[in-house]
């Protein structure tokens, strides 16, 4: 039998009691064996008092001479007859108990005759229990919550209210209009506080094991994991999860499997039992941030929609170290300076990954308190990269874009035979050193490769033009020239220029010929025609 077997007793004597008093408890077990437990006190008039007579009356009596001296007319104390029998080795646990009855009796003397037996209203020992009552989704306090134990209503309370509950285990039910009822089992052993979260009846899920205080270092990846439990399985069909106010979502997982987004939502399916949901995202700058989790679901026939909405607030704190990156990343060597600022010692591993997630560079350094260290990061080519800084099991992530140091300004060009053409390139040098290059133009109608050497000063940029001559008597009206830039023996840039050949006269009588020869032949034909007309007129 489970329950409270600690009894708080207040007694009263109508006349001076110099004999003694006691409390008797009759305990009946599930095997129908009866035991008697007696706690007593004897006074000066109880000389020669013996428990033998009581033993002969009841049998199976266990005595405890431990009650307080009734110096006044009121006595107050607590006993637990079940624990008494367990301490004597009579029973093994409370599971063997079928019933307990307690009575208080007083004696004027102890001459073997018992009289003045008083049965009092003896109640189990009780303690105040304070209840924190909150809306599970918003965290707002609730009022007018009814508390029941079985079919008995214990009271209606507000957030922070309390009830007097007997020592022992209680299964309590909390009810409020517009909310799902909540059943909670508590074990009262002293004054205590109990937190109860209630979900609106419009919600279909409980979000359990949800972290209450989320603090994350800046620029790190965080995984928010919680248990999604149906309140009623009849309301959890066709479940979708959506996230508002969270921009850098990496992935959403259900029981470890990645869920692909569908128009910004994540389909979780029909949920009949608790599932684990993980939302993985990258945090940004220092400060307090928040987002909203919304779960929509339906009943089995899609006639009713349930919406569970949870506001999530998290705090982003500074990293324990400062990071100084290049103002502009470039192909080749780049300096990354890290300064420890927390006064601790730890290892930082730096890893550079390309857009496919492949590691292209890594290094590590064991930092002492307040130490600074410079990493020399080698970027192999232009493009998008991810820099990861890992320490103490956490990883800060940075997106890096390496823009071209050299760009071809002239993509297409129109020239005339016998004329000139100009190709322009733009050079940028974000480093602190002078950069030396050789520009090479070849192919197409060029009789030989053109080479031009240049230099670009530190932290500067400039345009460089390459001029070339266009031969006469070209066969085609379009050509392709190859442009390459060398740095030492390495080709650091290459591209092509499309060159179109135009008609130098801008006019043609014979179908748009584009060469100077066509113009020459056209003029000769006009002269011949004029001479022929003049001869005809003379005749």
């Amino acid at each position: 039998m489970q329950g409270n077997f600690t009894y708080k007793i207040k007694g009263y004597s109508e006349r001076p009691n110099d004999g003694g008093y006691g409390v008797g408890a009759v305990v009946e077990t599930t095997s129908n064996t009866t035991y008697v437990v007696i706690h007593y006190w004897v006074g000066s008039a109880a000389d020669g008092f013996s428990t033998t007579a009581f033993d002969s009356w009841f049998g199976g009596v266990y005595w405890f001479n431990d009650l307080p001296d009734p110096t006044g007319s009121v006595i107050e104390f607590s006993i637990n007859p079940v624990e008494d029998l367990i301490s004597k080795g009579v029973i093994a646990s409370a599971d063997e108990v079928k019933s307990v009855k307690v009575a208080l009796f007083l004696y004027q003397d102890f001459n073997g005759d018992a009289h003045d037996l008083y049965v009092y209203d003896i109640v189990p020992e009780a303690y105040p229990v304070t209840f924190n009552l909150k809306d599970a989704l918003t965290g707002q306090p609730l009022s007018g919550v009814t508390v029941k134990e079985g079919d008995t209503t214990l009271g209606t309370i507000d957030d922070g209210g309390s009830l007097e509950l007997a020592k022992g285990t209680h299964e309590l039910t909390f009810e409020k209009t517009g909310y799902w009822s909540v059943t909670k089992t508590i074990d009262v052993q002293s004054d205590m506080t109990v937190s109860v979260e209630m979900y609106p009846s419009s919600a279909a899920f409980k979000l359990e094991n949800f972290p209450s205080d989320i603090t994350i270092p800046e620029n790190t990846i965080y995984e928010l994991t919680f248990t999604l439990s149906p309140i009623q399985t009849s309301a959890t069909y066709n479940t979708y999860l959506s996230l508002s106010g969270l921009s850098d979502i990496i992935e959403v997982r259900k029981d470890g499997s990645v869920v692909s987004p569908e128009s910004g939502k994540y389909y979780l399916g029909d949920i009949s039992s608790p599932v684990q949901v993980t939302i993985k995202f990258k945090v940004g700058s220092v400060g307090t941030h928040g987002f909203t989790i919304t779960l929509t679901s339906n009943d089995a026939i899609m006639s009713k929609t349930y919406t569970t909405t949870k506001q999530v607030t998290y705090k982003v704190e500074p990293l324990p170290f400062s990071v100084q990156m290049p103002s502009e990343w470039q192909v080749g060597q780049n300096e990354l300076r890290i300064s420890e600022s927390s006064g601790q010692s730890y290892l930082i591993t730096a890893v550079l990954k390309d857009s496919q997630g492949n590691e292209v560079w890594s290094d590590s350094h064991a930092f002492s308190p307040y130490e600074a260290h410079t990493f020399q990061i080698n970027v192999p080519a232009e493009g998008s990269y991810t820099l990861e800084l890992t320490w103490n099991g956490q990883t800060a992530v940075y997106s890096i874009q390496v823009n071209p140091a050299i760009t071809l300004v002239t993509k297409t060009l129109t020239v005339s035979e016998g004329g000139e053409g100009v190709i322009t390139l733009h050079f940028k040098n974000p480093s602190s050193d002078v950069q030396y290059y050789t520009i090479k133009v070849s192919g197409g109608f060029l009789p030989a490769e053109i080479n031009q050497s240049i230099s670009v000063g530190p932290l500067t940029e400039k345009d460089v033009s390459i001029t070339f001559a266009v031969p006469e008597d070209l066969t085609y009206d379009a050509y392709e020239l190859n442009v390459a830039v060398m740095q030492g023996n390495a080709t650091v840039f290459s591209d092509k220029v499309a060159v179109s050949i135009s008609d130098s006269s801008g006019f043609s009588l014979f179908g748009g010929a584009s060469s100077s020869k066509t113009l020459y032949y056209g003029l000769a034909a006009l002269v011949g025609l004029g001479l022929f007309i003049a001869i005809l007129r003379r005749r």
Side-chain angles (χ1 to χ4, degrees):
M1 175 181 178
Q2 296 299 318
N4 175 35
F5 301 109
T6 299
Y7 295 88
K8 189 174 184 180
I9 302 169
K10 287 185 178 180
Y12 177 76
S13 175
E14 294 181 352
R15 52 189 173 184
N17 181 21
D18 56 357
Y21 71 99
V23 174
V26 178
V27 180
E28 184 180 4
T29 68
T30 54
S31 61
N32 296 321
T33 303
T34 301
Y35 299 99
V36 177
V37 175
I38 298 177
H39 290 257
Y40 68 95
W41 174 87
V42 293
S44 59
D47 293 339
F49 168 71
S50 172
T51 64
T52 305
F54 291 90
D55 291 342
S56 62
W57 294 344
F58 299 108
V61 180
Y62 296 89
W63 295 85
F64 297 87
N65 184 8
D66 57 2
L67 297 187
D69 183 351
T71 54
S73 59
V74 177
I75 51 177
E76 184 175 352
F77 55 89
S78 297
I79 67 167
N80 189 321
V82 173
E83 288 186 358
D84 293 337
L85 293 178
I86 293 174
S87 69
K88 295 291 186 180
V90 179
I91 59 176
S93 69
D95 292 335
E96 298 181 35
V97 176
K98 183 177 180 180
S99 66
V100 178
K101 296 179 181 179
V102 179
L104 174 69
F105 48 92
L106 302 171
Y107 293 94
Q108 184 178 12
D109 56 57
F110 280 93
N111 295 319
D113 296 325
H115 56 86
D116 293 339
L117 176 62
Y118 297 88
V119 177
Y120 286 73
D121 184 17
I122 302 171
V123 297
E125 189 173 5
Y127 299 97
V129 178
T130 302
F131 296 93
N132 292 329
L133 306 171
K134 297 291 190 297
D135 185 301
L137 298 176
T138 66
Q140 295 299 310
L142 298 178
S143 60
V145 177
T146 300
V147 185
K148 294 182 177 180
E149 186 168 20
D151 295 329
T152 303
T153 299
L154 303 181
T156 300
I157 58 175
D158 301 335
D159 176 53
S162 62
L163 295 171
E164 193 86 3
L165 295 180
K167 184 177 180 180
T169 302
H170 298 266
E171 187 177 84
L172 305 179
T173 300
F174 301 84
E175 298 177 350
K176 178 177 170 61
T177 302
Y179 286 81
W180 297 101
S181 63
V182 175
T183 299
K184 199 176 187 75
T185 300
I186 63 173
D187 184 18
V188 179
Q189 296 297 325
S190 61
D191 296 1
M192 65 184 300
T193 299
V194 176
S195 295
V196 178
E197 291 184 332
M198 302 185 70
Y199 285 81
S201 55
S202 59
F205 293 97
K206 294 181 181 179
L207 279 65
E208 299 176 321
N209 304 316
F210 206 96
S212 58
D213 186 14
I214 304 175
T215 302
I216 317 168
E218 62 178 316
N219 290 313
T220 57
I221 303 296
Y222 182 74
E223 293 190 0
L224 173 63
T225 300
F226 56 92
T227 302
L228 195 61
S229 299
I231 299 175
Q232 279 196 353
T233 55
S234 61
T236 56
Y237 292 89
N238 195 41
T239 303
Y240 279 90
L241 180 147
S242 59
L243 301 168
S244 303
L246 190 60
S247 58
D248 207 346
I249 304 169
I250 298 175
E251 65 181 20
V252 172
R253 298 195 301 269
K254 173 190 171 185
D255 283 340
S257 299
V258 175
V259 181
S260 300
E262 302 175 7
S263 302
K265 296 182 179 181
Y266 300 86
Y267 181 63
L268 304 182
D270 301 338
I271 300 177
S272 59
S273 60
V275 297
Q276 188 180 74
V277 174
T278 298
I279 302 170
K280 185 178 181 180
F281 61 96
K282 180 186 175 183
V283 303
S285 58
V286 174
T288 301
H289 305 267
F291 62 94
T292 303
I293 300 173
T294 302
L295 294 151
T296 58
S297 58
N298 302 98
D299 59 6
I301 60 174
M302 305 291 285
S303 64
K304 185 176 181 180
T305 299
Y306 296 83
T307 302
T308 307
T309 303
K310 174 71 174 180
Q311 302 289 335
V312 182
T313 301
Y314 61 95
K315 183 179 180 182
V316 179
E317 294 186 336
L319 296 172
F321 50 85
S322 61
V323 180
Q324 183 178 353
M325 295 190 183
S327 58
E328 186 172 357
W329 290 81
Q330 63 175 348
V331 176
Q333 293 293 322
N334 298 264
E335 291 188 351
L336 172 70
R337 186 172 178 82
I338 296 180
S339 301
E340 204 291 313
S341 56
S342 66
Q344 301 178 14
S345 298
Y346 44 83
L347 179 74
I348 294 181
T349 299
V351 178
L352 186 68
K353 296 181 178 179
D354 62 18
S355 58
Q356 304 300 317
N358 301 313
E359 180 180 316
V360 297
W361 173 92
S362 65
D363 196 4
S364 61
H365 181 76
F367 283 80
S368 300
Y370 307 111
E371 179 188 359
H373 176 75
T374 300
F375 291 96
Q376 298 292 334
I377 300 180
N378 183 38
V379 179
E382 302 159 357
S384 300
Y385 294 87
T386 299
L387 177 66
E388 298 180 353
L389 302 177
T390 302
W391 82 103
N392 292 343
Q394 295 181 307
T395 301
V397 180
Y398 301 86
S399 296
I400 293 173
Q401 182 65 40
V402 181
N403 295 317
I406 306 167
T407 55
L408 181 62
V409 177
T410 308
K411 295 287 188 179
T412 60
L413 182 63
T414 301
V415 297
S416 299
E417 287 184 336
E420 289 185 342
V422 179
I423 296 175
T424 302
L425 295 95
H426 184 77
F427 289 80
K428 182 186 295 184
N429 180 12
S431 72
S432 57
D433 300 320
V434 176
Q435 302 294 320
Y436 298 91
Y437 300 99
T438 299
I439 304 172
K440 295 185 176 184
V441 181
S442 62
F445 51 71
L446 295 178
E449 183 180 78
I450 300 172
N451 288 272
Q452 181 174 327
S453 296
I454 68 163
S455 64
V456 185
L459 305 176
T460 62
E461 54 184 288
K462 66 179 183 180
D463 288 335
V464 177
S465 296
I466 306 296
T467 303
F468 58 90
V470 181
E472 295 183 355
D473 302 327
L474 294 175
T475 305
Y476 304 107
D477 59 3
Y479 292 85
E480 194 171 69
L481 301 182
N482 300 313
V483 180
V485 180
M486 310 293 293
Q487 193 168 33
N489 295 323
T491 301
V492 295
F493 175 84
S494 65
D495 206 341
K496 297 180 183 295
V497 178
V499 181
S500 298
I501 310 301
S502 70
D503 180 4
S504 60
S505 69
F507 172 76
S508 175
L509 291 174
F510 304 99
S514 59
S515 68
S516 58
K517 284 183 178 180
T518 303
L519 178 61
Y520 174 78
Y521 293 140
L523 290 173
L526 288 174
V527 172
L529 179 61
L531 290 174
F532 177 71
I533 293 173
I535 292 171
L536 290 176
R537 285 181 177 179
R538 287 178 182 179
R539 290 182 179 180

